[in-house]
């Protein structure tokens, strides 16, 4: 029993998560610390919203946009690797690449006059920005499926759908998940910028801090954003290992 | 069982298979042989509609194969290929049960069938939960054959199944295929470019060249009555003698009622291997025993010469 506890404590996933939650909880009491560090500031602790709310709003932004990006990216990747969709592959790849060429701030700036301020333009910009890595992962993953596995799937009488869901996607999964991982990590960082268009996120203290020369705010937002990205990265690493464990 | 009538297949306006007529009888072990690009693999793949024929008719069990749903047709035919194509993310057990799974067999029936196949192919039960990359090449190919046989298919299609194996493993698996064929009486169609493999396995050899069938018939017929120079060259003029020997077995040629007290050879040994034994042991008589070790008789060196008539 104590052995299991020890193993659990040694889990590299536990510590970043614990640290992130501890910082979220302790931040409201860190006022004196930042007051000492930056004595020239009147209000050294960000208090407009609680850090919990900001973290949840940030996760919501990333979650919704990444979910959309994953669905669109995997869907498009699967579609253009089918016999019937092959011709659209160059077009889809070009579109996705173009989506990522625009700096996210530019996408946000374009989205605002069309949709207005708030969460929606942020989600759309993040979504567009997140598609390319997922698409690339899906294409690379499906291409890595051995031709013999595909031929046999067909030869033993699997339908196209069965071949996709039972053979191609499971074999491509580690590479697809790597794509989603990249997409999510990028989005966690980019979501901080979304605060410029009025979406709440852990970027809010950073943006407000930058415009008001409040370095303490910037540090508070930046540390939490960075930790969140680290936690997400570790989680995906674990997920990837689960999927590649059996298939090698 | 399978009937090709004037069948052609074109790739980019070039005939890969050119008006072939071929009858594959039920229970027969047919080997399609030829050089690369002779159309043998294409011919095989037309049987389960992995390649659709352009002209002529192919009938399976009396019906034109286009009348079948391709998936249903393929599930009635076992399929094994050179690169084996085991699904790397599935255990051996799940790989073997692929087609029974697709056919929604009850789990108990699947389990029972897997156990039978393990015995048939001399696979250890503890391999069931391993993944393909944890097996040796020979074991993988056995699993590949087990998967092809899993749903008791009416026809077994094999596309150079032993091409990637070392000679020893290949020889062992060829013997197993013969045993399985003898036990199950299944119709088997196998593609190879290995002449000795064809001679070992085939009831009937179909020799193809640039999309056409050059000659088809029993192995001995192709060796002793080649239709033209191509056939003669293909089977190798200089090796003709030993290849003829490969068709006979020591058990069939041995003289009954004689015995010799020296280390015996097995009845299944081909006369070609027996010849090698004669030379290696520097003797002209070898005792032959059957599978249980009971004495059968003695093979004399001179008996090898009479092989032509007996085979």
């Amino acid at each position: 029993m104590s052995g299991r506890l020890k193993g659990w404590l040694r889990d590299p996933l536990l510590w970043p998560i614990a640290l992130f939650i501890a910082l979220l909880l302790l931040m409201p009491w860190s006022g004196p610390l930042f007051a000492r560090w930056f004595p020239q500031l009147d209000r050294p602790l960000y208090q407009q919203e609680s850090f919990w709310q900001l973290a949840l709003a940030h996760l919501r932004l990333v979650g919704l946009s990444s979910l959309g990006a994953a669905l669109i990216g995997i869907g498009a990747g699967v579609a253009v690797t089918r016999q019937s969709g092959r011709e659209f592959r160059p077009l889809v790849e070009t579109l996705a690449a173009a989506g990522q060429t625009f700096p996210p701030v530019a996408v946000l700036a374009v989205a605002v006059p069309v949709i207005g301020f708030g969460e929606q333009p942020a989600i759309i910009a993040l979504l567009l920005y997140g598609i390319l890595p997922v698409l690339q992962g899906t294409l690379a993953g499906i291409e890595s499926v051995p031709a013999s596995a595909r031929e046999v799937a067909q030869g033993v009488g699997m339908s196209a759908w069965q071949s996709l869901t039972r053979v191609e996607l499971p074999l491509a999964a580690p590479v697809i998940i790597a794509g989603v991982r990249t997409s999510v990590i990028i989005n966690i960082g980019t979501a901080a910028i979304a605060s410029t268009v009025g979406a709440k996120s852990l970027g809010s203290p950073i943006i407000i801090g930058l415009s008001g020369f409040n370095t303490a705010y910037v540090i508070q937002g930046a540390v939490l954003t960075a930790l969140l990205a680290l936690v997400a990265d570790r989680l995906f690493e674990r997920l990837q290992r689960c999927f590649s464990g059996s298939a090698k | 069982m399978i009937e090709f009538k004037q069948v052609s297949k074109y790739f980019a306006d070039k005939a890969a298979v050119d008006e072939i007529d071929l009858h594959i009888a039920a229970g027969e072990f047919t080997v399609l042989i030829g050089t690369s690009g002779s159309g043998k693999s294409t011919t095989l793949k037309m049987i389960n509609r992995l390649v659709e024929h352009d002209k002529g008719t192919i009938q399976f069990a009396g019906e034109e194969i286009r009348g079948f749903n391709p998936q249903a047709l393929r599930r009635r035919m076992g399929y094994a290929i050179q690169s084996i194509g085991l699904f790397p993310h599935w255990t051996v057990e799940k790989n073997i049960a692929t087609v029974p799974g697709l056919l929604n067999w009850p789990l108990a029936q699947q389990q029972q069938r897997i156990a039978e196949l393990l015995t048939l192919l001399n696979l250890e039960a503890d391999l069931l939960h391993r993944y393909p990359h944890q097996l040796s090449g020979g074991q993988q190919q056995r699993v590949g054959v087990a998967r092809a046989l899993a749903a008791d298919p009416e026809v077994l299609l094999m596309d150079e199944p032993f091409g990637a194996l070392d000679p020893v493993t290949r020889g062992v698996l060829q013997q197993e295929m013969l045993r399985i064929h003898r036990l199950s009486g299944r119709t088997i169609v196998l593609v190879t470019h290995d002449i000795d493999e064809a001679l070992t396995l085939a009831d009937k050899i179909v020799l193809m060249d640039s999309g056409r069938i050059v000659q088809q018939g029993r192995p001995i017929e192709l060796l002793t009555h080649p239709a033209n120079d191509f056939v003669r060259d293909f089977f190798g003029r200089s090796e003709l003698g030993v290849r003829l020997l490969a068709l006979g077995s020591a058990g069939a040629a041995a003289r009954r009622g004689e015995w010799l007290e020296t280390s015996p050879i097995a009845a299944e040994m081909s006369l070609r291997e027996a010849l090698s034994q004669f030379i290696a042991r520097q003797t002209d008589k070898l005792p032959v025993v059957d599978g249980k070790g009971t004495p059968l008789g003695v093979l004399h060196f001179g008996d090898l010469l009479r092989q032509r008539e007996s085979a």
Side-chain angles (χ1 to χ4, degrees):
Chain A
M1 191 62 211
S2 73
R4 185 182 292 180
L5 184 70
K6 246 187 211 163
W8 198 67
L9 283 175
R10 255 190 236 130
D11 191 331
L13 191 58
L14 177 72
W15 296 105
I17 295 179
L19 187 61
F20 180 66
I21 293 175
L23 276 184
L24 273 184
L25 288 173
L26 295 176
M27 206 57 103
W29 283 281
S30 66
L33 178 76
F34 281 102
R36 224 166 145 171
W37 193 359
F38 302 101
Q40 73 281 16
L41 294 176
D42 296 338
R43 277 169 297 160
L45 186 67
Y46 185 83
Q47 277 170 326
Q48 275 91 323
E49 295 93 8
S50 81
F51 284 98
W52 269 111
Q53 280 172 325
L54 291 178
L56 286 179
H58 199 112
L59 282 175
R60 197 179 128 84
L61 276 181
V62 174
L64 287 175
S65 60
S66 293
L67 187 69
L71 287 178
I72 295 174
I74 294 173
V78 166
V80 299
T81 47
R82 299 305 97 191
Q83 200 63 48
S84 50
R86 233 162 260 276
E87 328 164 25
F88 296 102
R89 181 171 173 164
L91 176 73
V92 168
E93 278 183 299
T94 315
L95 278 179
Q100 217 180 21
T101 329
F102 292 114
V105 177
V107 179
L108 286 170
V110 173
V112 168
V114 182
I115 311 169
F117 282 91
E119 203 183 25
Q120 266 181 1
I123 289 180
I124 289 171
L126 291 176
L127 188 153
L128 290 177
Y129 211 60
I131 290 176
L132 184 69
V134 182
L135 180 74
Q136 283 173 333
T138 309
L139 291 177
I142 288 182
E143 252 154 43
S144 72
V145 174
S148 61
R150 219 171 292 159
E151 187 193 331
V152 166
Q154 204 189 354
V156 297
M158 287 193 191
S159 64
W161 177 251
Q162 285 167 331
S163 167
L164 175 70
T165 54
R166 298 187 189 190
V167 178
E168 292 175 65
L169 283 182
L171 285 175
V175 188
I176 296 180
I177 290 171
V180 176
R181 176 182 178 177
T182 312
S183 166
V184 169
I185 302 304
I186 292 178
N187 268 359
I188 288 178
T190 317
I193 310 176
S195 302
T196 46
V197 293
K200 281 196 201 338
S201 75
L202 288 172
S204 304
I206 303 180
I207 303 292
I208 294 172
L210 285 174
S211 52
F213 301 104
N214 190 326
T215 319
Y217 283 9
V218 175
I219 290 175
Q220 288 150 21
V223 166
L224 286 173
T225 309
L227 259 178
L228 183 62
L230 192 71
V231 168
D233 189 60
R234 295 290 90 195
L235 278 172
F236 271 103
E237 198 237 275
R238 181 63 51 93
L239 189 66
Q240 246 171 309
R241 223 186 302 159
C242 289
F243 269 93
S244 51
S246 58
K248 188 187 171 187
Chain B
M1 188 100 210
I2 300 164
E3 188 89 49
F4 282 66
K5 280 191 192 130
Q6 296 290 305
V7 174
S8 300
K9 172 71 197 176
Y10 302 94
F11 290 122
D13 290 335
K14 259 196 73 190
V17 171
D18 199 2
E19 303 202 327
I20 60 167
D21 287 297
L22 177 61
H23 174 72
I24 294 164
E28 204 172 49
F29 202 136
T30 305
V31 174
L32 304 176
I33 190 169
T35 47
S36 322
S38 59
K40 53 191 195 303
S41 269
T42 309
T43 304
L44 184 86
K45 286 177 184 169
M46 285 195 288
I47 300 176
N48 68 357
R49 293 184 64 184
L50 282 177
V51 172
E52 299 276 6
H53 57 287
D54 294 325
K55 258 178 33 193
T57 58
I58 304 174
Q59 292 193 324
F60 170 61
E63 273 182 73
E64 162 62 39
I65 57 165
R66 284 201 217 274
F68 292 91
N69 168 302
Q71 274 120 44
L73 181 74
R74 287 170 196 151
R75 289 172 195 176
R76 288 171 68 177
M77 299 178 172
Y79 187 56
I81 60 174
Q82 171 176 7
S83 44
I84 308 164
L86 293 181
F87 299 124
H89 58 308
W90 284 358
T91 58
V92 167
E93 184 175 27
K94 205 161 174 220
N95 263 292
I96 295 180
T98 306
V99 185
L102 289 172
L103 293 168
N104 290 318
W105 284 18
L107 218 56
Q109 195 188 348
Q110 291 192 23
Q111 296 288 343
Q112 195 196 338
R113 183 65 186 149
I114 290 169
E116 285 170 21
L117 288 164
L118 287 184
T119 325
L120 185 67
L121 284 147
N122 291 324
L123 285 162
E124 312 268 327
D126 60 349
L127 295 179
L128 277 184
H129 302 290
R130 299 228 191 124
Y131 286 91
H133 70 264
Q134 297 166 315
L135 306 182
S136 70
Q139 286 170 328
Q140 289 186 17
Q141 191 57 70
R142 279 165 204 265
V143 175
V145 174
R147 177 177 63 187
L149 287 168
D152 234 329
E154 291 149 72
V155 184
L156 187 55
L157 306 177
M158 309 181 91
D159 195 350
E160 300 197 24
F162 310 131
L165 299 175
D166 64 87
V168 178
T169 316
R170 195 187 312 158
V172 173
L173 273 164
Q174 285 167 356
Q175 290 307 315
E176 306 245 320
M177 280 317 299
L178 278 178
R179 186 172 57 87
I180 289 167
H181 180 239
R182 228 180 297 129
L183 281 175
S184 63
R186 208 177 305 273
T187 313
I188 302 178
V189 186
L190 182 141
V191 165
T192 185
H193 56 247
D194 179 341
I195 295 161
D196 293 313
E197 180 165 283
L199 292 174
T200 312
L201 295 175
D203 292 329
K204 174 172 162 181
I205 290 184
V206 179
L207 175 61
M208 295 187 70
D209 183 45
S210 40
R212 293 169 179 276
I213 293 177
V214 185
Q215 190 176 1
Q216 50 180 314
R218 292 197 304 140
I220 187 96
E221 285 169 21
L222 271 77
L223 287 179
T224 53
H225 301 100
N228 56 30
D229 278 349
F230 176 81
V231 183
R232 209 167 285 130
D233 287 335
F234 192 84
F235 286 100
R237 291 167 199 267
S238 61
E239 301 237 5
L240 186 63
V242 283
R243 290 203 160 124
L244 274 169
L245 282 179
L247 296 177
S249 74
R255 298 185 190 177
R256 303 296 194 264
E258 291 181 30
W259 188 242
L260 212 63
E261 280 308 325
T262 167
S263 100
I265 59 172
E268 302 89 62
M269 187 181 270
S270 76
L271 290 178
R272 181 181 183 164
E273 290 166 288
L275 170 67
S276 166
Q277 286 289 319
F278 278 123
I279 309 289
R281 295 202 207 169
Q282 302 206 316
T283 173
D284 58 356
K285 293 190 192 76
L286 283 169
V288 181
V289 291
D290 67 10
K292 296 185 197 80
T294 353
L296 258 180
V298 173
L299 181 69
H300 292 242
F301 191 73
D303 297 339
L304 298 183
L305 295 178
R306 281 189 296 281
Q307 149 65 9
R308 186 180 276 244
E309 294 92 83
S310 65

